[in-house]
Amino acid sequence: MKNIMRKLHVKEDQIPPDAVMNTFDVKYGKLLKTENVVLRNGSWRTTSDDPFFIFQFSSPFQQAYLELKMNKQFSEDEVIFVYYASDENFTQKNTVKISVNSNKMYEGVIFFHETVQFIRFDPCEHIIDLASFHIKIIPLISETDCREAILNKYSCIKGNGIVLVSHDLTKTGAPILVCNIARSLIDRGEQVIVLAQNGGILLHMLQQDKIPVFVLTDLFEKKSLKQSKRDIFSTFIRAFYQIGYSRVLLNTIISGNIAKIFKTEGFKIITLIHEMRTSIEHYNFGRYGEDIRLYSDAVVFPAECVKKDFESLYGETSNAYIYPQGYFQKENADRASEILVSEKYILGLGTFSLRKGTDLFCSAAIEILKRGIRDYQFVWIGDYEDTELYYWLKLQIQKAGFEKYFIFIPLLPENSYNSMVKSASAFWLTSREDPFPNVMIDAVFNKVPVFAFLHAGGADSLLADGRGFLISRFDIVKLADLTLQSLKNSKEIETMTNTARNYAVLNLQFENYIQKLIDLWE
């Protein structure tokens, strides 16, 4: 954004009233000024770089419901809001960036760092034909405004509903679980809305499934929720309660940041804990766990080891339950032809990170390849969260001379993912710490042999009694040895995978998991 540090001179331009009516729907405010943009034949066109629209509001506010519908030829990936109070200068730090989806749309709630009365909307940096577009802004000043924003977006919302809270909508285990829970609850006739603290790729999937979702942008901080923002969020949550939502599921320990708010507003709270001790300590989630233990009506853990880790930090939790999440039946698909892999491959899944043990996966694969064995490719599917780790591992593989045997895939459509899991020769769960990963359940249900490290999480319980392979001390040489030895014995593998699947069918049905959660709200 160019020339952002400049004074706003509040002079109302001569803007055609029909254009304002058709393009902008602004509650408590008006379009005050435009710059470097003109309306020609019913279409907005920029006349110079850095075009913008300025809105003035009659009352100050700190949160707003925003709806954008941009022209489908719009080439920008994001739009920019600059905001300030009174007639102060625009500043670079007072900028909220809103990402639009593939349909050039955005719907959500934005929160500002300070009280604002003027908003500047910068749709692009360059000269383009904006054509027709629509902006709707509802400042959320009162509970009535919050209810209007909620019902404006989803008129289908009725009472007796459930709020599902996710820390984000990235394509990772915990947010995927929230999406699956939402689907299952809706299939049962429950009224559901997803409240995401931050966005992500799953937002589009929820919208496709017509699942109500609100993304609360720029609200939550890693260490604390400032009091002013806490008050704002309370108003928003109170509006949900007043239209009939009284049950909430907080997913992950991060959501403990808002547990007290939901309890104060009268919600019955179930919290799902997916983090183990090292992650809680490393990411400074300590306070969140304390509030979860204090305000939750039920705390659900996927495995006994996760509960023990939690209680080692916060003390005995009297309302604790151990419910592993179960297998969510996914769309079947043939093997994805666009993914060029060999007939035999060993699969790893998860965010590219030390916690997920991507480095251990690569080192064990190199151990096999060093022995002159070229029967398998090694495929890792997961987003590159730690780009530094990604590039160092790529260098290690390159210097070892084994590049052609590794395939790294950041993200896959659901049907392609399913086929990749089903066709794998083996699944390596190389996590250093992982409570009860969905990907392990997927592998077991697809009768893929699972190799995991002992005492690293919920794999201990699922793979016990001959249902999988557990390797002690993160021993990658033993992982390589055991994999090669076991895959030679097809009968042993068939017996093991059948045993594991039969156990999972009896104990890990997703619908049973959902029913247990519903019962906890009763």
Side-chain angles (χ1 to χ4, degrees):
M1 183 185 302
K2 303 179 181 68
N3 303 321
I4 193 67
M5 300 291 292
R6 60 188 178 197
K7 192 82 170 178
L8 170 66
H9 301 287
V10 183
K11 291 183 179 180
E12 191 162 1
D13 287 0
Q14 295 298 315
I15 302 168
D18 289 344
V20 176
M21 186 180 302
N22 294 332
T23 307
F24 309 116
D25 183 359
V26 182
K27 189 174 183 180
Y28 305 132
K30 62 182 179 181
L31 177 63
L32 180 68
K33 181 179 180 179
T34 65
E35 187 164 315
N36 299 331
V37 61
V38 295
L39 187 68
R40 292 176 182 166
N41 299 321
S43 175
W44 288 101
R45 181 173 178 80
T46 60
T47 57
S48 181
D49 289 349
D50 200 23
F52 60 79
F53 301 83
I54 294 172
F55 301 94
Q56 181 182 17
F57 297 85
S58 58
S59 300
F61 60 95
Q62 206 170 344
Q63 61 179 342
Y65 168 74
L66 173 66
E67 181 179 292
L68 299 179
K69 295 179 182 178
M70 305 301 295
N71 174 25
K72 290 195 175 182
Q73 279 69 50
F74 184 68
S75 60
E76 300 292 320
D77 292 328
E78 57 188 22
V79 295
I80 301 172
F81 273 85
V82 179
Y83 50 90
Y84 67 100
S86 185
D87 59 352
E88 298 177 9
N89 292 333
F90 288 118
T91 61
Q92 189 70 49
K93 69 176 183 178
N94 285 347
T95 304
V96 179
K97 295 184 178 181
I98 306 297
S99 297
V100 295
N101 61 26
S102 59
N103 293 322
K104 313 303 180 190
M105 296 178 62
Y106 173 85
E107 293 177 304
V109 177
I110 56 174
F111 293 81
F112 302 124
H113 294 295
E114 60 186 51
T115 301
V116 304
Q117 206 161 346
F118 296 87
I119 290 179
R120 168 175 152 171
F121 170 61
D122 293 43
C124 59
E125 293 279 352
H126 312 294
I127 299 176
I128 63 170
D129 186 356
L130 289 171
S132 59
F133 67 100
H134 179 74
I135 302 174
K136 186 183 189 77
I137 305 173
I138 303 176
L140 303 180
I141 297 172
S142 67
E143 292 168 26
T144 301
D145 297 324
C146 292
R147 287 196 298 274
E148 180 184 344
I150 295 167
L151 295 173
N152 175 76
K153 186 174 182 183
Y154 293 109
S155 58
C156 61
I157 289 178
K158 300 176 182 177
N160 194 29
I162 299 170
V163 179
L164 305 179
V165 178
S166 181
H167 62 282
D168 63 32
L169 293 174
T170 56
K171 201 168 185 179
T172 52
I176 289 172
L177 177 60
V178 164
C179 292
N180 292 340
I181 290 172
R183 288 168 165 174
S184 185
L185 287 171
I186 288 172
D187 286 344
R188 287 168 169 256
E190 296 281 359
Q191 289 288 319
V192 170
I193 189 163
V194 175
L195 202 59
Q197 299 179 20
N198 290 287
I201 194 169
L202 294 179
L203 175 61
H204 182 58
M205 188 194 80
L206 288 166
Q207 290 171 335
Q208 281 186 322
D209 289 347
K210 295 182 171 53
I211 297 173
V213 55
F214 272 89
V215 178
L216 305 177
T217 305
D218 198 35
L219 171 62
F220 298 93
E221 299 177 357
K222 288 185 178 180
K223 293 186 178 179
S224 65
L225 187 62
K226 291 183 179 179
Q227 187 59 43
S228 60
K229 293 183 179 181
R230 187 179 294 275
D231 294 340
I232 291 168
F233 188 66
S234 296
T235 303
F236 194 73
I237 294 308
R238 195 174 303 124
F240 276 115
Y241 191 81
Q242 290 177 351
I243 63 174
Y245 282 68
S246 59
R247 297 171 287 173
V248 62
L249 185 141
L250 303 179
N251 191 41
T252 78
I253 196 170
I254 302 172
S255 299
N257 197 20
I258 53 178
K260 183 178 180 180
I261 298 175
F262 276 101
K263 178 56 67 176
T264 300
E265 299 304 331
F267 281 77
K268 190 162 187 180
I269 302 171
I270 296 174
T271 301
L272 307 183
I273 298 296
H274 305 289
E275 295 81 9
M276 298 181 70
R277 180 169 185 140
T278 303
S279 296
I280 293 171
E281 292 178 330
H282 175 66
Y283 294 109
N284 297 316
F285 292 155
R287 277 186 52 199
Y288 304 160
E290 292 170 3
D291 280 358
I292 283 169
R293 183 173 175 272
L294 185 61
Y295 299 114
S296 296
D297 296 283
V299 183
V300 177
F301 303 92
E304 179 66 33
C305 61
V306 185
K307 176 176 176 286
K308 285 183 178 179
D309 266 17
F310 186 87
E311 292 185 331
S312 71
L313 292 169
Y314 305 109
E316 184 178 353
T317 306
S318 59
N319 56 348
Y321 301 85
I322 298 174
Y323 297 156
Q325 65 265 32
Y327 177 68
F328 185 81
Q329 184 65 46
K330 301 173 180 67
E331 178 185 350
N332 292 322
D334 294 331
R335 185 167 176 174
S337 59
E338 71 275 12
I339 302 170
L340 301 177
V341 297
S342 65
E343 287 299 316
K344 295 181 179 181
Y345 59 91
I346 294 172
L347 185 63
L349 291 158
T351 304
F352 217 93
S353 64
L354 288 172
R355 182 178 75 83
K356 290 291 186 178
T358 318
D359 58 319
L360 299 175
F361 177 91
C362 293
S363 295
I366 289 173
E367 176 64 30
I368 288 177
L369 293 167
K370 282 194 308 184
R371 302 177 188 183
I373 298 169
R374 304 290 189 267
D375 296 340
Y376 302 97
Q377 282 188 305
F378 299 88
V379 180
W380 184 278
I381 301 173
D383 199 9
Y384 306 154
E385 181 180 274
D386 188 339
T387 54
E388 182 178 5
L389 176 64
Y390 170 73
Y391 285 110
W392 282 118
L393 287 178
K394 289 279 283 186
L395 178 65
Q396 178 184 348
I397 293 165
Q398 181 184 20
K399 288 191 172 183
F402 298 133
E403 283 181 284
K404 69 179 182 179
Y405 297 101
F406 285 85
I407 298 176
F408 298 114
I409 306 171
L411 292 171
L412 276 178
E414 190 170 280
N415 59 344
S416 297
Y417 162 81
N418 297 337
S419 64
M420 288 294 291
V421 173
K422 186 176 182 179
S423 301
S425 301
F427 172 54
W428 282 356
L429 180 63
T430 52
S431 299
R432 289 177 167 87
E433 189 176 77
D434 221 335
F436 208 86
N438 297 326
V439 292
M440 174 180 67
I441 302 172
D442 293 342
V444 166
F445 265 84
N446 282 285
K447 297 202 291 187
V448 176
V450 179
F451 298 76
F453 291 121
L454 187 65
H455 304 320
D460 289 8
S461 57
L462 181 54
L463 304 184
D465 301 324
R467 294 188 291 269
F469 299 96
L470 292 167
I471 296 95
S472 61
R473 299 186 178 89
F474 300 98
D475 189 337
I476 60 168
V477 174
K478 189 172 182 181
L479 172 59
D481 290 340
L482 192 57
T483 301
L484 293 174
Q485 176 187 339
S486 302
L487 292 182
K488 289 178 182 177
N489 192 334
S490 58
K491 287 187 177 180
E492 178 187 352
I493 290 295
E494 184 179 4
T495 300
M496 172 179 286
T497 55
N498 283 333
T499 300
R501 191 181 193 283
N502 291 339
Y503 174 87
V505 167
L506 288 174
N507 296 281
L508 297 176
Q509 289 294 334
F510 198 80
E511 286 307 309
N512 293 342
Y513 174 70
I514 294 298
Q515 186 58 55
K516 289 177 180 178
L517 295 181
I518 291 173
D519 291 344
L520 290 176
W521 275 309
E522 298 301 325

